[in-house]
Amino acid sequence: MKPALPLTLAFSWLTVLPLRVDDVDRKAAGRAIAWTPVVGVVLGAFVVGVLELLAISNISALVAGFLVVGVVALATRGMHLDGLADVADGLGCYGPPERALRVMKDGGAGPFGVVSLVVALGAQAAALPHAHWGVVVLAFATSRAAFGICCLRGVPAARPEGLGALVAGTQHPLLVIGTWVVLAAAAVPLGWRAVVAVVVAGALTWLLVRHTGKRFGGITGDVLGAAAEIALLAVLVIA
């Protein structure tokens, strides 16, 4: 079997595309994480297309926003939303890291998770129809670039198994910094608010990684999903 190509692996993880991947080891996973912003660009372009089709149908902006949010959830298997809810519940519970990790792995959505989903989905639905197409693409690219910050060298995994253990600590700082510099540069034509949005998204992601590191003992796959949703929301709301 041939090892999976990084971009193919990234698309197989982050979308519903029926792509077959073999021999996914830590090295391949790390390379795939580096390519995830490209997946974000493609998703952003897809969302722009859906928004344009809904605009032609002349339905209300808010309804169009919720429909797009639903389409995105289907296209990504809702993984990042599940991660956001699980992290919110884990951070909201009392007890040692082991208890928080059990709560996150439970599968159900508690009160913190439900509230976080309502706020995130509602804000995204309200913002997307009014955002410039470039901001939409930038938002999705930035949200997927958040994975790089989560997987910086030195960031441990909270569990010895799972996606977090596979990708934690795989990203070189210079690669991650370079990716975010490119995003900030791409935001310049969209205005100063877009540049600020990228910076804020990166800062919020780093704060999430630091806080979950203290609370859970490291990152999990859920933390990556939560980071993506937080970064996406930050760019859409600010820019």
Side-chain angles (χ1 to χ4, degrees), residues 146-186:
F147 298 149
I149 295 178
C150 296
C151 301
L152 275 167
R153 290 182 182 175
V155 176
R159 298 189 183 99
E161 74 286 335
L163 179 61
L166 189 63
V167 299
T170 58
Q171 301 305 295
H172 194 287
L174 291 180
L175 176 61
V176 175
I177 292 171
T179 299
W180 282 81
V181 168
V182 170
L183 288 170

Coordinates of all heavy atoms in Angstrom, one line a residue, residues 146-186:
A146 N -6.1 26.9 12.3 CA -6.0 26.8 13.8 C -5.5 25.5 14.2 O -4.9 25.3 15.3 CB -7.4 27.0 14.4
F147 N -5.6 24.4 13.4 CA -5.1 23.1 13.7 C -3.6 23.2 13.9 O -3.0 22.5 14.8 CB -5.4 22.1 12.6 CG -6.9 21.9 12.4 CD1 -7.4 21.5 11.1 CD2 -7.8 22.0 13.4 CE1 -8.7 21.3 10.9 CE2 -9.1 21.8 13.2 CZ -9.6 21.5 12.0
G148 N -2.9 24.0 13.1 CA -1.4 24.1 13.2 C -1.0 24.6 14.6 O 0.0 24.1 15.2
I149 N -1.7 25.6 15.1 CA -1.4 26.1 16.5 C -1.7 25.0 17.5 O -0.9 24.8 18.4 CB -2.3 27.3 16.8 CG1 -1.9 28.5 15.8 CG2 -2.1 27.8 18.2 CD1 -2.7 29.7 16.0
C150 N -2.7 24.3 17.4 CA -3.0 23.2 18.3 C -2.0 22.1 18.3 O -1.7 21.5 19.3 CB -4.4 22.5 18.0 SG -5.8 23.6 18.1
C151 N -1.3 21.9 17.2 CA -0.3 20.8 17.0 C 1.1 21.3 17.0 O 2.0 20.6 16.5 CB -0.6 20.0 15.7 SG -2.3 19.4 15.7
L152 N 1.4 22.5 17.6 CA 2.7 23.0 17.6 C 3.6 22.0 18.4 O 3.2 21.4 19.4 CB 2.8 24.3 18.3 CG 2.5 25.6 17.4 CD1 2.2 26.8 18.2 CD2 3.7 25.8 16.5
R153 N 4.9 22.0 18.1 CA 5.9 21.2 18.9 C 5.9 21.7 20.3 O 5.9 22.9 20.6 CB 7.2 21.3 18.3 CG 7.4 20.6 16.9 CD 8.8 20.7 16.4 NE 8.9 20.1 15.1 CZ 10.0 20.1 14.3 NH1 11.1 20.7 14.8 NH2 10.0 19.5 13.2
G154 N 5.9 20.7 21.2 CA 5.8 21.1 22.6 C 4.4 21.0 23.2 O 4.3 20.9 24.5
V155 N 3.4 20.9 22.4 CA 2.0 20.8 22.9 C 1.7 19.3 23.0 O 1.7 18.5 22.0 CB 1.0 21.4 21.9 CG1 -0.4 21.2 22.4 CG2 1.3 22.9 21.8
P156 N 1.5 18.8 24.2 CA 1.3 17.3 24.4 C -0.2 16.9 24.0 O -1.1 17.7 23.9 CB 1.6 17.1 25.9 CG 1.1 18.4 26.5 CD 1.4 19.5 25.5
A157 N -0.4 15.6 24.0 CA -1.7 15.0 23.8 C -2.3 14.7 25.2 O -1.5 14.3 26.1 CB -1.6 13.8 22.9
A158 N -3.6 14.9 25.3 CA -4.2 14.6 26.6 C -4.4 13.1 26.8 O -4.5 12.6 27.9 CB -5.5 15.3 26.7
R159 N -4.5 12.3 25.7 CA -4.7 10.9 25.8 C -3.6 10.2 25.0 O -3.0 10.8 24.0 CB -6.1 10.5 25.2 CG -7.3 11.1 25.9 CD -8.5 10.4 25.4 NE -9.8 10.9 25.9 CZ -10.5 11.8 25.3 NH1 -10.2 12.3 24.2 NH2 -11.6 12.3 25.9
P160 N -3.3 8.9 25.3 CA -2.3 8.2 24.5 C -2.8 7.7 23.2 O -2.1 7.1 22.5 CB -1.9 7.1 25.5 CG -3.1 6.8 26.3 CD -3.8 8.2 26.5
E161 N -4.1 7.8 23.0 CA -4.7 7.3 21.7 C -5.6 8.4 21.1 O -5.8 9.5 21.7 CB -5.5 6.1 22.0 CG -6.9 6.3 22.6 CD -6.8 6.6 24.1 OE1 -5.8 6.2 24.8 OE2 -7.7 7.2 24.6
G162 N -6.0 8.2 19.9 CA -6.9 9.1 19.3 C -6.2 10.1 18.4 O -5.0 10.1 18.2
L163 N -7.0 11.0 17.7 CA -6.4 11.9 16.8 C -5.4 12.9 17.5 O -4.4 13.2 16.9 CB -7.6 12.8 16.2 CG -7.1 13.8 15.2 CD1 -6.4 13.2 14.0 CD2 -8.3 14.6 14.7
G164 N -5.8 13.3 18.7 CA -4.9 14.2 19.4 C -3.5 13.6 19.6 O -2.5 14.3 19.4
A165 N -3.4 12.3 19.9 CA -2.1 11.7 20.1 C -1.4 11.5 18.8 O -0.1 11.6 18.7 CB -2.3 10.3 20.7
L166 N -2.1 11.4 17.7 CA -1.5 11.2 16.4 C -0.9 12.5 15.8 O 0.2 12.5 15.2 CB -2.6 10.7 15.4 CG -2.1 10.3 14.0 CD1 -1.2 9.1 14.1 CD2 -3.3 10.0 13.1
V167 N -1.5 13.7 16.2 CA -1.0 14.9 15.5 C -0.4 15.9 16.5 O 0.2 16.9 16.1 CB -2.2 15.6 14.8 CG1 -2.7 14.8 13.7 CG2 -3.3 16.0 15.8
A168 N -0.5 15.7 17.8 CA 0.1 16.6 18.8 C 1.6 16.8 18.6 O 2.3 15.8 18.5 CB -0.2 16.1 20.2
G169 N 2.1 18.0 18.6 CA 3.5 18.3 18.5 C 4.1 18.0 17.2 O 5.3 18.0 17.1
T170 N 3.3 17.9 16.1 CA 3.9 17.6 14.8 C 4.3 18.8 14.0 O 4.9 18.7 12.9 CB 2.9 16.8 14.0 OG1 1.7 17.5 13.8 CG2 2.6 15.4 14.6
Q171 N 3.8 20.0 14.4 CA 4.0 21.2 13.5 C 5.2 22.1 14.0 O 5.3 22.5 15.1 CB 2.7 22.0 13.5 CG 1.5 21.2 13.0 CD 1.7 20.6 11.6 OE1 1.9 21.4 10.6 NE2 1.7 19.3 11.6
H172 N 6.1 22.4 13.0 CA 7.2 23.2 13.3 C 6.7 24.7 13.5 O 5.9 25.1 12.7 CB 8.2 23.2 12.1 CG 9.5 23.7 12.5 ND1 9.8 25.1 12.6 CD2 10.7 23.1 12.7 CE1 11.0 25.3 12.9 NE2 11.6 24.1 13.0
P173 N 7.2 25.4 14.5 CA 6.7 26.8 14.7 C 6.9 27.7 13.5 O 6.0 28.5 13.3 CB 7.6 27.2 15.9 CG 8.0 26.0 16.6 CD 8.1 24.9 15.5
L174 N 8.0 27.5 12.8 CA 8.2 28.4 11.6 C 7.1 28.2 10.5 O 6.7 29.1 9.9 CB 9.6 28.2 11.0 CG 10.7 28.7 11.9 CD1 12.1 28.4 11.2 CD2 10.6 30.2 12.2
L175 N 6.7 26.9 10.4 CA 5.7 26.6 9.4 C 4.3 27.2 9.8 O 3.6 27.8 9.0 CB 5.5 25.1 9.2 CG 4.4 24.6 8.3 CD1 4.6 25.1 6.9 CD2 4.3 23.1 8.3
V176 N 4.0 27.1 11.1 CA 2.8 27.7 11.6 C 2.8 29.2 11.5 O 1.8 29.8 11.1 CB 2.5 27.2 13.1 CG1 1.3 27.9 13.6 CG2 2.4 25.7 13.1
I177 N 3.9 29.8 11.9 CA 4.0 31.3 11.9 C 3.8 31.7 10.4 O 3.1 32.7 10.1 CB 5.3 31.7 12.5 CG1 5.3 31.5 14.0 CG2 5.5 33.2 12.2 CD1 6.6 31.7 14.6
G178 N 4.5 31.0 9.5 CA 4.5 31.4 8.1 C 3.0 31.3 7.5 O 2.6 32.2 6.8
T179 N 2.3 30.3 7.9 CA 0.9 30.1 7.5 C 0.1 31.3 7.9 O -0.7 31.8 7.1 CB 0.3 28.8 8.0 OG1 1.1 27.7 7.5 CG2 -1.1 28.6 7.6
W180 N 0.2 31.7 9.2 CA -0.6 32.8 9.7 C -0.2 34.1 9.1 O -1.0 35.0 9.0 CB -0.5 32.8 11.2 CG -1.5 31.7 11.8 CD1 -1.2 30.4 11.9 CD2 -2.8 31.9 12.2 NE1 -2.3 29.7 12.4 CE2 -3.3 30.6 12.6 CE3 -3.7 33.0 12.3 CZ2 -4.6 30.4 13.0 CZ3 -5.0 32.8 12.7 CH2 -5.4 31.5 13.1
V181 N 1.1 34.3 8.8 CA 1.6 35.5 8.1 C 0.9 35.6 6.7 O 0.5 36.7 6.3 CB 3.1 35.6 8.0 CG1 3.5 36.7 7.1 CG2 3.7 35.8 9.4
V182 N 0.9 34.5 6.0 CA 0.2 34.5 4.7 C -1.3 34.8 4.8 O -1.8 35.6 4.0 CB 0.4 33.1 4.1 CG1 -0.5 33.0 2.8 CG2 1.9 32.9 3.7
L183 N -1.9 34.3 5.9 CA -3.3 34.6 6.1 C -3.5 36.1 6.4 O -4.5 36.7 5.8 CB -3.9 33.8 7.2 CG -4.1 32.3 7.0 CD1 -4.4 31.6 8.3 CD2 -5.2 32.1 6.0
A184 N -2.7 36.7 7.2 CA -2.8 38.1 7.5 C -2.5 38.9 6.3 O -3.2 39.9 6.0 CB -1.8 38.5 8.6
A185 N -1.6 38.5 5.4 CA -1.3 39.2 4.2 C -2.5 39.1 3.2 O -2.8 40.1 2.6 CB 0.0 38.7 3.5
A186 N -3.1 38.0 3.2 CA -4.3 37.8 2.3 C -5.5 38.6 2.8 O -6.3 39.0 2.0 CB -4.7 36.3 2.3

